[in-house]
Amino acid sequence: MSNLDFAVYGMKLQPGDIEGTFEFCQSESVVGVGWGLENKSYNSISEVKATHQDVVDERNAKGKKIERINKDGRLYAPIRYMLKDIEKGDYVWVNEGNKFALCKVQSDWNVTPNLDTEAAEQYSQYGIHHFRDVEWTDISYSLVPGFIRRKFSRRYGTLKEMDDGINAKSKLVMEALHGKDESVSDSSLDRAAIANKIKNTDSEQVFDILGPDETEDIVISYLQSKGWRIIKSSTDSSQAKIECEMRREENGESVLGYLQVKTGSAGVDPTTYKEYAESGEMIFFVESGVDVEDYDDMSEIKSGTIHEYIINNYNYLPNESMVKFDFMLD
């Protein structure tokens, strides 16, 4: 039985931009952060904090700023997460460039000075001073969920707790990914077998498994199969009412199209999209349904149509969706 009562963190595993840190932590099965300590043993987090406070006080006296203790008196967030907030059973996404790993925390906090001299020197060489033992699983880039990739594609701190996109469904996918053999790759997904599971599942359950972004990706894939070409520049967040603009050729003429996707119980008011229908075709995919029969140049894609498209075109589906279906369907 799955226990989803865990937190998810993300970290850029390269303290001090030291080359090889990712591979070192991979070989040692640890995740860690920097900020060096005195060469003595530590028996409590309060002792570690006291050392950091001493360093801050010393640097401040010399007019230097240092990020170890926050203004509110707490340990700097990455250190605090590593020592205190992270619990056994939590997951940590680790990233460096295009390399990703999903790690399940297995131990309480530890610090480099508590290791034997040889190990302490080795850890310090790679900038690791506060760490946890983990079950480390490498995840091929193609299987990393899209929302995880996007988080790391932007400026990202050393270690942060993830919030956006973390829910029961995404946690189930993480458990599935972490539990797979490290050799799993895009080509190893049995897409035909997964499609057969989807065929034996009703539409409501299919879309309950998919997230909003995945549903949007699949609807766009369906429209591309109907000859629509997506205009990439139209997909940014500045287009609040629509997901994207599209074009296709009909009888030698260029036709402009617009897409809106709504999942779950969310609905739309077609009257607010009249301006789009006046210049092209307004296309809706609304899981809860939308009535556009009385509107010119507006059309609806039914859930059953996309369900059928998924079954018959499984080789075009995103990996994240396939992993979810594989793990969550019998």
Side-chain angles (χ1 to χ4, degrees), residues 135-274:
E135 287 182 355
W136 180 291
T137 299
D138 289 309
I139 307 295
S140 66
Y141 183 83
S142 64
L143 290 178
V144 178
F147 79 96
I148 297 293
R149 290 190 213 168
R150 289 190 290 274
K151 286 180 187 294
F152 285 113
S153 68
R154 301 185 291 268
R155 184 178 179 85
Y156 201 88
T158 303
L159 174 63
K160 296 193 295 186
E161 183 173 2
M162 292 184 170
D163 185 15
D164 292 343
I166 305 302
N167 51 45
K169 295 175 188 176
S170 62
K171 285 183 175 182
L172 283 169
V173 172
M174 290 178 202
E175 284 192 329
L177 287 172
H178 185 264
K180 287 181 177 291
D181 184 85
E182 291 186 7
S183 63
V184 69
S185 63
D186 174 81
S187 60
S188 68
L189 284 174
D190 190 342
R191 287 175 170 265
I194 298 170
N196 193 54
K197 292 183 181 182
I198 299 168
K199 185 177 181 179
N200 295 320
T201 305
D202 62 55
S203 294
E204 184 177 353
Q205 187 178 359
V206 165
F207 289 103
D208 187 50
I209 290 172
L210 293 172
D213 288 344
E214 296 158 317
T215 301
E216 183 182 326
D217 285 342
I218 293 171
V219 172
I220 288 175
S221 178
Y222 165 78
L223 288 169
Q224 287 175 319
S225 76
K226 299 301 180 181
W228 289 103
R229 306 289 178 86
I230 308 303
I231 300 173
K232 174 66 168 62
S233 61
S234 70
T235 61
D236 62 38
S237 58
S238 65
Q239 298 281 354
K241 281 190 176 182
I242 61 171
E243 312 303 345
C244 62
E245 293 181 17
M246 307 169 290
R247 287 227 173 239
R248 76 174 177 182
E249 185 179 339
E250 295 180 4
N251 301 318
E253 299 290 331
S254 177
V255 177
L256 181 60
Y258 304 95
L259 173 66
Q260 175 58 276
V261 175
K262 294 290 184 182
T263 57
S265 60
V268 297
D269 179 2
T271 61
T272 63
Y273 292 85
K274 284 185 176 180

Side-chain angles (χ1 to χ4, degrees), residues 47-64:
E47 291 179 8
V48 177
K49 181 181 178 182
T51 294
H52 284 303
Q53 184 67 65
D54 290 343
V55 173
V56 169
D57 293 342
E58 181 182 347
R59 299 286 179 87
N60 286 343
K62 296 178 181 178
K64 298 180 180 179

